[in-house]
Amino acid sequence: MLISTSFLSSKNPPRDLKLLDETDTDFIHLDVMDGKFVKNKTMPFSEMKNIYKYTTKRLDVHLMTEDSSNYIKDYASLNTEYITIHIESNNVKENLELIKNYGIKPGLAISPNTSLSEVVPYLPLIKQILIMSVEPGEGGQAFIIETEKKLEEAKILVEEYDLDIIINVDGGINDKTINYCKRADMIVSGSYIILEDNFQEKIDSLRI
């Protein structure tokens, strides 16, 4: 089980990113919000780009933005492994191709009320399916139990087409709700890790 740690809930990002760099978390999850696709807005890229000062970890970038093209260009310039856009956003096909053109692995996120079937036309273009287990845009929400079924469907879908795609899940994940995520290849956890004193202990509890 791969772990991608979000610092969205951090009160002191520089300190917490340095501490995360000492753990074995596989990725740092970057939540990027434009205040349009979701109501909240994260720090501008002019500040976010300084993340390299605090961590050497590869980045797993999640764009919660209406049209992601400008954001893709910016975040492709960082130490980025994945850039994931929402299937509910604009110009999905063009933006997935743009991500690939930058040499980054494209991902497609789906919100809780979106059917997994909508992902099918884009399967040849992506390397990650990010299933939201909370409504996108805000940290600290409760895990939606029905996500377990969607994870199972996603796993079957990927295996059926024999594709090199990982299944990721994001939202409300802790040492209890991780038990609903056994079909995922990677999980995103934020508040559960970042609001505690011992990051490594919390990360260890999620590796099932």
Side-chain angles (χ1 to χ4, degrees):
M1 176 78 72
L2 297 170
I3 309 292
S4 187
T5 303
S6 168
F7 63 98
L8 182 64
S9 300
S10 172
K11 308 300 183 194
N12 188 338
R15 180 201 64 192
D16 290 343
L17 285 166
K18 287 177 182 177
L19 290 172
L20 282 172
D21 210 45
E22 298 171 4
T23 72
D24 66 2
T25 189
D26 298 282
F27 298 97
I28 299 297
H29 186 83
L30 245 60
D31 291 294
V32 180
M33 297 179 265
D34 63 358
K36 299 174 183 176
F37 184 79
V38 293
K39 65 179 180 179
N40 289 331
K41 192 171 184 178
T42 44
M43 69 180 78
F45 181 75
S46 58
E47 295 178 40
M48 195 81 86
K49 68 181 181 182
N50 292 317
I51 192 171
Y52 76 90
K53 296 178 181 178
Y54 312 112
T55 181
T56 60
K57 300 284 187 182
R58 297 283 281 171
L59 305 179
D60 169 37
V61 179
H62 177 196
L63 300 181
M64 288 169 271
T65 52
E66 279 191 351
D67 191 347
S68 304
S69 55
N70 289 333
Y71 296 91
I72 290 166
K73 180 181 178 181
D74 286 339
Y75 286 93
S77 69
L78 303 181
N79 186 25
T80 302
E81 182 90 8
Y82 292 96
I83 295 179
T84 297
I85 64 173
H86 268 263
I87 196 166
E88 304 90 0
S89 65
N90 299 327
N91 305 315
V92 171
K93 182 175 184 292
E94 293 84 351
N95 284 328
L96 289 173
E97 290 172 342
L98 180 60
I99 295 167
K100 186 177 180 180
N101 287 341
Y102 277 108
I104 308 292
K105 296 175 182 175
L108 199 54
I110 60 171
S111 297
N113 293 326
T114 300
S115 170
L116 189 65
S117 62
E118 294 192 30
V119 174
V120 174
Y122 303 103
L123 289 176
L125 299 173
I126 63 175
K127 292 296 183 181
Q128 177 184 162
I129 298 172
L130 176 59
I131 294 176
M132 296 300 298
S133 44
V134 298
E135 290 297 330
E138 191 172 335
Q141 297 181 66
F143 183 90
I144 298 171
I145 302 300
E146 289 76 15
T147 304
E148 183 178 28
K149 182 180 179 182
K150 191 174 280 188
L151 287 169
E152 179 70 28
E153 292 171 353
K155 198 69 174 177
I156 291 170
L157 186 65
V158 169
E159 290 174 352
E160 181 180 325
Y161 285 92
D162 192 25
L163 296 169
D164 179 24
I165 296 174
I166 67 165
I167 308 300
N168 193 1
V169 56
D170 179 4
I173 296 176
N174 55 40
D175 58 344
K176 304 295 190 299
T177 57
I178 189 66
N179 293 308
Y180 297 104
C181 304
K182 292 178 180 178
R183 296 298 278 167
D185 304 299
M186 181 158 78
I187 62 99
V188 176
S189 186
S191 301
Y192 174 71
I193 297 172
I194 216 76
L195 297 181
E196 298 297 329
D197 294 327
N198 191 325
F199 292 172
Q200 186 62 60
E201 182 180 288
K202 294 299 179 180
I203 290 166
D204 289 342
S205 71
L206 297 175
R207 292 197 187 276
I208 60 174

mmCIF file of all heavy atoms in Angstrom, residues 11-50:
data_model
loop_
_atom_site.group_PDB
_atom_site.id
_atom_site.type_symbol
_atom_site.label_atom_id
_atom_site.label_comp_id
_atom_site.label_asym_id
_atom_site.label_seq_id
_atom_site.Cartn_x
_atom_site.Cartn_y
_atom_site.Cartn_z
ATOM 1 N N LYS A 11 -0.750 23.370 10.133
ATOM 2 C CA LYS A 11 -0.684 24.726 10.680
ATOM 3 C C LYS A 11 0.683 25.358 10.412
ATOM 4 O O LYS A 11 0.845 26.577 10.501
ATOM 5 C CB LYS A 11 -0.949 24.716 12.191
ATOM 6 C CG LYS A 11 -2.217 23.991 12.618
ATOM 7 C CD LYS A 11 -3.464 24.594 12.009
ATOM 8 C CE LYS A 11 -4.710 23.863 12.534
ATOM 9 N NZ LYS A 11 -5.916 24.182 11.741
ATOM 10 N N ASN A 12 1.663 24.510 10.099
ATOM 11 C CA ASN A 12 3.027 24.978 9.866
ATOM 12 C C ASN A 12 3.654 24.130 8.741
ATOM 13 O O ASN A 12 4.448 23.220 9.018
ATOM 14 C CB ASN A 12 3.849 24.869 11.147
ATOM 15 C CG ASN A 12 5.219 25.513 11.024
ATOM 16 O OD1 ASN A 12 5.754 25.697 9.921
ATOM 17 N ND2 ASN A 12 5.822 25.840 12.156
ATOM 18 N N PRO A 13 3.287 24.387 7.481
ATOM 19 C CA PRO A 13 3.752 23.538 6.372
ATOM 20 C C PRO A 13 5.268 23.347 6.286
ATOM 21 O O PRO A 13 5.716 22.205 6.099
ATOM 22 C CB PRO A 13 3.191 24.252 5.136
ATOM 23 C CG PRO A 13 1.953 24.928 5.641
ATOM 24 C CD PRO A 13 2.319 25.397 7.016
ATOM 25 N N PRO A 14 6.106 24.386 6.404
ATOM 26 C CA PRO A 14 7.552 24.144 6.314
ATOM 27 C C PRO A 14 8.054 23.123 7.330
ATOM 28 O O PRO A 14 8.801 22.201 6.993
ATOM 29 C CB PRO A 14 8.158 25.534 6.559
ATOM 30 C CG PRO A 14 7.110 26.476 6.080
ATOM 31 C CD PRO A 14 5.818 25.841 6.492
ATOM 32 N N ARG A 15 7.626 23.284 8.571
ATOM 33 C CA ARG A 15 8.039 22.343 9.619
ATOM 34 C C ARG A 15 7.534 20.937 9.325
ATOM 35 O O ARG A 15 8.287 19.948 9.387
ATOM 36 C CB ARG A 15 7.507 22.804 10.983
ATOM 37 C CG ARG A 15 7.891 21.884 12.151
ATOM 38 C CD ARG A 15 6.944 22.073 13.330
ATOM 39 N NE ARG A 15 5.581 21.679 12.996
ATOM 40 C CZ ARG A 15 4.516 21.955 13.762
ATOM 41 N NH1 ARG A 15 4.658 22.665 14.862
ATOM 42 N NH2 ARG A 15 3.306 21.550 13.398
ATOM 43 N N ASP A 16 6.244 20.826 8.979
ATOM 44 C CA ASP A 16 5.650 19.504 8.777
ATOM 45 C C ASP A 16 6.207 18.806 7.537
ATOM 46 O O ASP A 16 6.384 17.585 7.525
ATOM 47 C CB ASP A 16 4.126 19.620 8.684
ATOM 48 C CG ASP A 16 3.499 19.972 10.025
ATOM 49 O OD1 ASP A 16 4.182 19.810 11.062
ATOM 50 O OD2 ASP A 16 2.339 20.419 10.044
ATOM 51 N N LEU A 17 6.501 19.556 6.495
ATOM 52 C CA LEU A 17 7.100 18.953 5.306
ATOM 53 C C LEU A 17 8.497 18.425 5.602
ATOM 54 O O LEU A 17 8.888 17.356 5.115
ATOM 55 C CB LEU A 17 7.145 19.967 4.161
ATOM 56 C CG LEU A 17 5.804 20.238 3.488
ATOM 57 C CD1 LEU A 17 5.886 21.485 2.620
ATOM 58 C CD2 LEU A 17 5.348 19.040 2.651
ATOM 59 N N LYS A 18 9.258 19.138 6.408
ATOM 60 C CA LYS A 18 10.583 18.658 6.792
ATOM 61 C C LYS A 18 10.477 17.374 7.605
ATOM 62 O O LYS A 18 11.263 16.432 7.425
ATOM 63 C CB LYS A 18 11.319 19.732 7.602
ATOM 64 C CG LYS A 18 11.793 20.915 6.779
ATOM 65 C CD LYS A 18 12.448 21.973 7.665
ATOM 66 C CE LYS A 18 12.890 23.177 6.861
ATOM 67 N NZ LYS A 18 13.458 24.256 7.714
ATOM 68 N N LEU A 19 9.486 17.317 8.498
ATOM 69 C CA LEU A 19 9.277 16.113 9.295
ATOM 70 C C LEU A 19 8.811 14.951 8.422
ATOM 71 O O LEU A 19 9.244 13.808 8.607
ATOM 72 C CB LEU A 19 8.257 16.388 10.404
ATOM 73 C CG LEU A 19 8.737 17.318 11.527
ATOM 74 C CD1 LEU A 19 7.580 17.664 12.460
ATOM 75 C CD2 LEU A 19 9.887 16.684 12.306
ATOM 76 N N LEU A 20 7.950 15.232 7.463
ATOM 77 C CA LEU A 20 7.496 14.181 6.550
ATOM 78 C C LEU A 20 8.633 13.652 5.706
ATOM 79 O O LEU A 20 8.654 12.470 5.328
ATOM 80 C CB LEU A 20 6.379 14.712 5.640
ATOM 81 C CG LEU A 20 4.993 14.812 6.247
ATOM 82 C CD1 LEU A 20 4.048 15.532 5.281
ATOM 83 C CD2 LEU A 20 4.444 13.423 6.584
ATOM 84 N N ASP A 21 9.580 14.507 5.407
ATOM 85 C CA ASP A 21 10.721 14.089 4.599
ATOM 86 C C ASP A 21 11.561 13.033 5.321
ATOM 87 O O ASP A 21 12.298 12.287 4.688
ATOM 88 C CB ASP A 21 11.590 15.303 4.253
ATOM 89 C CG ASP A 21 12.291 15.144 2.920
ATOM 90 O OD1 ASP A 21 11.625 14.716 1.958
ATOM 91 O OD2 ASP A 21 13.502 15.430 2.834
ATOM 92 N N GLU A 22 11.430 12.967 6.637
ATOM 93 C CA GLU A 22 12.168 11.983 7.432
ATOM 94 C C GLU A 22 11.404 10.666 7.570
ATOM 95 O O GLU A 22 11.930 9.697 8.109
ATOM 96 C CB GLU A 22 12.458 12.562 8.824
ATOM 97 C CG GLU A 22 13.331 13.806 8.789
ATOM 98 C CD GLU A 22 13.443 14.493 10.138
ATOM 99 O OE1 GLU A 22 12.893 13.946 11.127
ATOM 100 O OE2 GLU A 22 14.070 15.555 10.206
ATOM 101 N N THR A 23 10.165 10.624 7.087
ATOM 102 C CA THR A 23 9.356 9.405 7.143
ATOM 103 C C THR A 23 9.499 8.616 5.840
ATOM 104 O O THR A 23 10.165 9.050 4.905
ATOM 105 C CB THR A 23 7.863 9.729 7.348
ATOM 106 O OG1 THR A 23 7.332 10.281 6.123
ATOM 107 C CG2 THR A 23 7.656 10.714 8.493
ATOM 108 N N ASP A 24 8.828 7.472 5.776
ATOM 109 C CA ASP A 24 8.853 6.681 4.541
ATOM 110 C C ASP A 24 7.569 6.856 3.719
ATOM 111 O O ASP A 24 7.235 5.990 2.896
ATOM 112 C CB ASP A 24 9.107 5.201 4.831
ATOM 113 C CG ASP A 24 7.982 4.521 5.601
ATOM 114 O OD1 ASP A 24 6.950 5.179 5.891
ATOM 115 O OD2 ASP A 24 8.127 3.332 5.941
ATOM 116 N N THR A 25 6.855 7.974 3.931
ATOM 117 C CA THR A 25 5.704 8.233 3.052
ATOM 118 C C THR A 25 6.194 8.221 1.610
ATOM 119 O O THR A 25 7.293 8.690 1.306
ATOM 120 C CB THR A 25 5.014 9.572 3.394
ATOM 121 O OG1 THR A 25 3.798 9.666 2.648
ATOM 122 C CG2 THR A 25 5.865 10.786 3.061
ATOM 123 N N ASP A 26 5.393 7.674 0.723
ATOM 124 C CA ASP A 26 5.835 7.509 -0.661
ATOM 125 C C ASP A 26 5.744 8.799 -1.461
ATOM 126 O O ASP A 26 6.572 9.049 -2.337
ATOM 127 C CB ASP A 26 4.986 6.421 -1.330
ATOM 128 C CG ASP A 26 5.163 5.079 -0.643
ATOM 129 O OD1 ASP A 26 6.186 4.424 -0.890
ATOM 130 O OD2 ASP A 26 4.294 4.710 0.165
ATOM 131 N N PHE A 27 4.727 9.622 -1.169
ATOM 132 C CA PHE A 27 4.524 10.873 -1.893
ATOM 133 C C PHE A 27 4.039 11.960 -0.940
ATOM 134 O O PHE A 27 3.455 11.676 0.098
ATOM 135 C CB PHE A 27 3.467 10.713 -3.002
ATOM 136 C CG PHE A 27 3.834 9.725 -4.076
ATOM 137 C CD1 PHE A 27 3.373 8.423 -4.038
ATOM 138 C CD2 PHE A 27 4.643 10.112 -5.139
ATOM 139 C CE1 PHE A 27 3.716 7.508 -5.019
ATOM 140 C CE2 PHE A 27 4.993 9.213 -6.124
ATOM 141 C CZ PHE A 27 4.530 7.910 -6.066
ATOM 142 N N ILE A 28 4.252 13.207 -1.345
ATOM 143 C CA ILE A 28 3.579 14.347 -0.732
ATOM 144 C C ILE A 28 2.421 14.713 -1.655
ATOM 145 O O ILE A 28 2.611 14.936 -2.854
ATOM 146 C CB ILE A 28 4.517 15.562 -0.572
ATOM 147 C CG1 ILE A 28 5.697 15.215 0.336
ATOM 148 C CG2 ILE A 28 3.735 16.758 -0.037
ATOM 149 C CD1 ILE A 28 5.328 14.859 1.756
ATOM 150 N N HIS A 29 1.226 14.731 -1.087
ATOM 151 C CA HIS A 29 0.022 15.027 -1.858
ATOM 152 C C HIS A 29 -0.232 16.524 -1.818
ATOM 153 O O HIS A 29 -0.401 17.111 -0.742
ATOM 154 C CB HIS A 29 -1.171 14.271 -1.254
ATOM 155 C CG HIS A 29 -2.433 14.382 -2.042
ATOM 156 N ND1 HIS A 29 -2.709 13.580 -3.125
ATOM 157 C CD2 HIS A 29 -3.503 15.197 -1.901
ATOM 158 C CE1 HIS A 29 -3.893 13.895 -3.611
ATOM 159 N NE2 HIS A 29 -4.398 14.890 -2.891
ATOM 160 N N LEU A 30 -0.249 17.143 -2.979
ATOM 161 C CA LEU A 30 -0.495 18.579 -3.098
ATOM 162 C C LEU A 30 -1.932 18.825 -3.539
ATOM 163 O O LEU A 30 -2.321 18.469 -4.648
ATOM 164 C CB LEU A 30 0.459 19.181 -4.150
ATOM 165 C CG LEU A 30 1.500 20.185 -3.673
ATOM 166 C CD1 LEU A 30 2.411 19.541 -2.631
ATOM 167 C CD2 LEU A 30 2.330 20.693 -4.836
ATOM 168 N N ASP A 31 -2.719 19.413 -2.657
ATOM 169 C CA ASP A 31 -4.084 19.803 -2.997
ATOM 170 C C ASP A 31 -4.066 21.214 -3.561
ATOM 171 O O ASP A 31 -3.607 22.143 -2.889
ATOM 172 C CB ASP A 31 -4.976 19.760 -1.761
ATOM 173 C CG ASP A 31 -5.208 18.341 -1.274
ATOM 174 O OD1 ASP A 31 -5.842 17.561 -1.999
ATOM 175 O OD2 ASP A 31 -4.748 18.018 -0.154
ATOM 176 N N VAL A 32 -4.564 21.372 -4.785
ATOM 177 C CA VAL A 32 -4.585 22.681 -5.438
ATOM 178 C C VAL A 32 -6.038 23.043 -5.746
ATOM 179 O O VAL A 32 -6.714 22.327 -6.499
ATOM 180 C CB VAL A 32 -3.749 22.674 -6.729
ATOM 181 C CG1 VAL A 32 -3.784 24.051 -7.396
ATOM 182 C CG2 VAL A 32 -2.311 22.244 -6.441
ATOM 183 N N MET A 33 -6.520 24.136 -5.150
ATOM 184 C CA MET A 33 -7.921 24.541 -5.302
ATOM 185 C C MET A 33 -8.003 25.975 -5.817
ATOM 186 O O MET A 33 -7.254 26.843 -5.366
ATOM 187 C CB MET A 33 -8.645 24.409 -3.962
ATOM 188 C CG MET A 33 -8.697 22.987 -3.446
ATOM 189 S SD MET A 33 -9.532 22.851 -1.843
ATOM 190 C CE MET A 33 -8.149 22.910 -0.729
ATOM 191 N N ASP A 34 -8.908 26.210 -6.749
ATOM 192 C CA ASP A 34 -8.976 27.512 -7.417
ATOM 193 C C ASP A 34 -10.083 28.429 -6.900
ATOM 194 O O ASP A 34 -10.249 29.546 -7.380
ATOM 195 C CB ASP A 34 -9.130 27.329 -8.930
ATOM 196 C CG ASP A 34 -10.432 26.626 -9.321
ATOM 197 O OD1 ASP A 34 -11.214 26.245 -8.423
ATOM 198 O OD2 ASP A 34 -10.657 26.449 -10.532
ATOM 199 N N GLY A 35 -10.885 27.954 -5.931
ATOM 200 C CA GLY A 35 -11.988 28.767 -5.428
ATOM 201 C C GLY A 35 -13.181 28.796 -6.357
ATOM 202 O O GLY A 35 -14.169 29.495 -6.102
ATOM 203 N N LYS A 36 -13.131 28.046 -7.459
ATOM 204 C CA LYS A 36 -14.225 27.971 -8.434
ATOM 205 C C LYS A 36 -14.779 26.544 -8.518
ATOM 206 O O LYS A 36 -15.965 26.317 -8.310
ATOM 207 C CB LYS A 36 -13.741 28.422 -9.814
ATOM 208 C CG LYS A 36 -13.252 29.866 -9.844
ATOM 209 C CD LYS A 36 -12.658 30.208 -11.201
ATOM 210 C CE LYS A 36 -12.106 31.620 -11.214
ATOM 211 N NZ LYS A 36 -11.444 31.943 -12.508
ATOM 212 N N PHE A 37 -13.898 25.595 -8.822
ATOM 213 C CA PHE A 37 -14.327 24.195 -8.875
ATOM 214 C C PHE A 37 -14.789 23.731 -7.502
ATOM 215 O O PHE A 37 -15.750 22.976 -7.345
ATOM 216 C CB PHE A 37 -13.181 23.318 -9.387
ATOM 217 C CG PHE A 37 -13.556 21.874 -9.562
ATOM 218 C CD1 PHE A 37 -14.273 21.469 -10.671
ATOM 219 C CD2 PHE A 37 -13.201 20.926 -8.612
ATOM 220 C CE1 PHE A 37 -14.640 20.141 -10.836
ATOM 221 C CE2 PHE A 37 -13.558 19.596 -8.761
ATOM 222 C CZ PHE A 37 -14.280 19.204 -9.878
ATOM 223 N N VAL A 38 -14.061 24.192 -6.480
ATOM 224 C CA VAL A 38 -14.480 24.024 -5.077
ATOM 225 C C VAL A 38 -14.428 25.403 -4.428
ATOM 226 O O VAL A 38 -13.776 26.310 -4.938
ATOM 227 C CB VAL A 38 -13.571 23.027 -4.323
ATOM 228 C CG1 VAL A 38 -13.729 21.629 -4.873
ATOM 229 C CG2 VAL A 38 -12.107 23.461 -4.389
ATOM 230 N N LYS A 39 -15.097 25.563 -3.306
ATOM 231 C CA LYS A 39 -15.226 26.903 -2.722
ATOM 232 C C LYS A 39 -13.922 27.409 -2.101
ATOM 233 O O LYS A 39 -13.689 28.614 -2.027
ATOM 234 C CB LYS A 39 -16.352 26.930 -1.691
ATOM 235 C CG LYS A 39 -16.117 26.060 -0.470
ATOM 236 C CD LYS A 39 -17.285 26.166 0.509
ATOM 237 C CE LYS A 39 -17.052 25.298 1.747
ATOM 238 N NZ LYS A 39 -18.165 25.412 2.708
ATOM 239 N N ASN A 40 -13.084 26.494 -1.628
ATOM 240 C CA ASN A 40 -11.841 26.909 -1.002
ATOM 241 C C ASN A 40 -10.753 27.190 -2.032
ATOM 242 O O ASN A 40 -10.830 26.729 -3.179
ATOM 243 C CB ASN A 40 -11.350 25.840 -0.018
ATOM 244 C CG ASN A 40 -12.222 25.780 1.224
ATOM 245 O OD1 ASN A 40 -12.818 26.782 1.619
ATOM 246 N ND2 ASN A 40 -12.313 24.609 1.833
ATOM 247 N N LYS A 41 -9.740 27.915 -1.596
ATOM 248 C CA LYS A 41 -8.627 28.250 -2.476
ATOM 249 C C LYS A 41 -7.328 28.053 -1.715
ATOM 250 O O LYS A 41 -7.201 28.478 -0.566
ATOM 251 C CB LYS A 41 -8.753 29.705 -2.949
ATOM 252 C CG LYS A 41 -7.819 30.066 -4.087
ATOM 253 C CD LYS A 41 -8.168 31.453 -4.641
ATOM 254 C CE LYS A 41 -7.300 31.774 -5.856
ATOM 255 N NZ LYS A 41 -7.657 33.090 -6.449
ATOM 256 N N THR A 42 -6.364 27.395 -2.364
ATOM 257 C CA THR A 42 -5.080 27.153 -1.723
ATOM 258 C C THR A 42 -4.090 28.253 -2.092
ATOM 259 O O THR A 42 -4.371 29.119 -2.914
ATOM 260 C CB THR A 42 -4.517 25.783 -2.144
ATOM 261 O OG1 THR A 42 -4.683 25.612 -3.551
ATOM 262 C CG2 THR A 42 -5.231 24.656 -1.428
ATOM 263 N N MET A 43 -2.921 28.207 -1.475
ATOM 264 C CA MET A 43 -1.896 29.217 -1.732
ATOM 265 C C MET A 43 -1.511 29.235 -3.210
ATOM 266 O O MET A 43 -1.574 28.203 -3.886
ATOM 267 C CB MET A 43 -0.666 28.950 -0.863
ATOM 268 C CG MET A 43 0.125 27.712 -1.220
ATOM 269 S SD MET A 43 1.575 27.468 -0.143
ATOM 270 C CE MET A 43 0.814 26.788 1.331
ATOM 271 N N PRO A 44 -1.132 30.382 -3.742
ATOM 272 C CA PRO A 44 -0.774 30.481 -5.158
ATOM 273 C C PRO A 44 0.510 29.717 -5.460
ATOM 274 O O PRO A 44 1.310 29.436 -4.566
ATOM 275 C CB PRO A 44 -0.590 31.976 -5.373
ATOM 276 C CG PRO A 44 -0.254 32.519 -4.023
ATOM 277 C CD PRO A 44 -1.011 31.674 -3.042
ATOM 278 N N PHE A 45 0.710 29.408 -6.730
ATOM 279 C CA PHE A 45 1.896 28.661 -7.134
ATOM 280 C C PHE A 45 3.179 29.400 -6.764
ATOM 281 O O PHE A 45 4.190 28.776 -6.458
ATOM 282 C CB PHE A 45 1.863 28.390 -8.639
ATOM 283 C CG PHE A 45 3.058 27.598 -9.114
ATOM 284 C CD1 PHE A 45 3.150 26.243 -8.847
ATOM 285 C CD2 PHE A 45 4.084 28.216 -9.812
ATOM 286 C CE1 PHE A 45 4.256 25.513 -9.262
ATOM 287 C CE2 PHE A 45 5.190 27.493 -10.238
ATOM 288 C CZ PHE A 45 5.268 26.132 -9.963
ATOM 289 N N SER A 46 3.138 30.711 -6.765
ATOM 290 C CA SER A 46 4.325 31.496 -6.415
ATOM 291 C C SER A 46 4.846 31.133 -5.023
ATOM 292 O O SER A 46 6.042 31.246 -4.746
ATOM 293 C CB SER A 46 4.017 32.988 -6.486
ATOM 294 O OG SER A 46 2.950 33.322 -5.616
ATOM 295 N N GLU A 47 3.945 30.681 -4.139
ATOM 296 C CA GLU A 47 4.341 30.210 -2.813
ATOM 297 C C GLU A 47 4.541 28.699 -2.807
ATOM 298 O O GLU A 47 5.485 28.190 -2.220
ATOM 299 C CB GLU A 47 3.279 30.595 -1.782
ATOM 300 C CG GLU A 47 3.118 32.092 -1.574
ATOM 301 C CD GLU A 47 2.022 32.417 -0.574
ATOM 302 O OE1 GLU A 47 1.918 31.710 0.443
ATOM 303 O OE2 GLU A 47 1.266 33.372 -0.822
ATOM 304 N N MET A 48 3.648 27.979 -3.471
ATOM 305 C CA MET A 48 3.686 26.520 -3.462
ATOM 306 C C MET A 48 4.971 25.975 -4.083
ATOM 307 O O MET A 48 5.476 24.929 -3.681
ATOM 308 C CB MET A 48 2.478 25.950 -4.207
ATOM 309 C CG MET A 48 2.242 24.477 -3.946
ATOM 310 S SD MET A 48 1.374 24.131 -2.399
ATOM 311 C CE MET A 48 -0.331 24.289 -2.930
ATOM 312 N N LYS A 49 5.518 26.695 -5.050
ATOM 313 C CA LYS A 49 6.719 26.192 -5.736
ATOM 314 C C LYS A 49 7.911 26.076 -4.791
ATOM 315 O O LYS A 49 8.867 25.353 -5.088
ATOM 316 C CB LYS A 49 7.082 27.091 -6.915
ATOM 317 C CG LYS A 49 7.559 28.483 -6.544
ATOM 318 C CD LYS A 49 7.872 29.312 -7.778
ATOM 319 C CE LYS A 49 8.365 30.706 -7.411
ATOM 320 N NZ LYS A 49 8.622 31.532 -8.608
ATOM 321 N N ASN A 50 7.849 26.745 -3.646
ATOM 322 C CA ASN A 50 8.946 26.680 -2.678
ATOM 323 C C ASN A 50 8.963 25.385 -1.882
ATOM 324 O O ASN A 50 9.811 25.211 -0.998
ATOM 325 C CB ASN A 50 8.862 27.875 -1.723
ATOM 326 C CG ASN A 50 9.165 29.182 -2.426
ATOM 327 O OD1 ASN A 50 10.099 29.269 -3.220
ATOM 328 N ND2 ASN A 50 8.364 30.204 -2.158
#
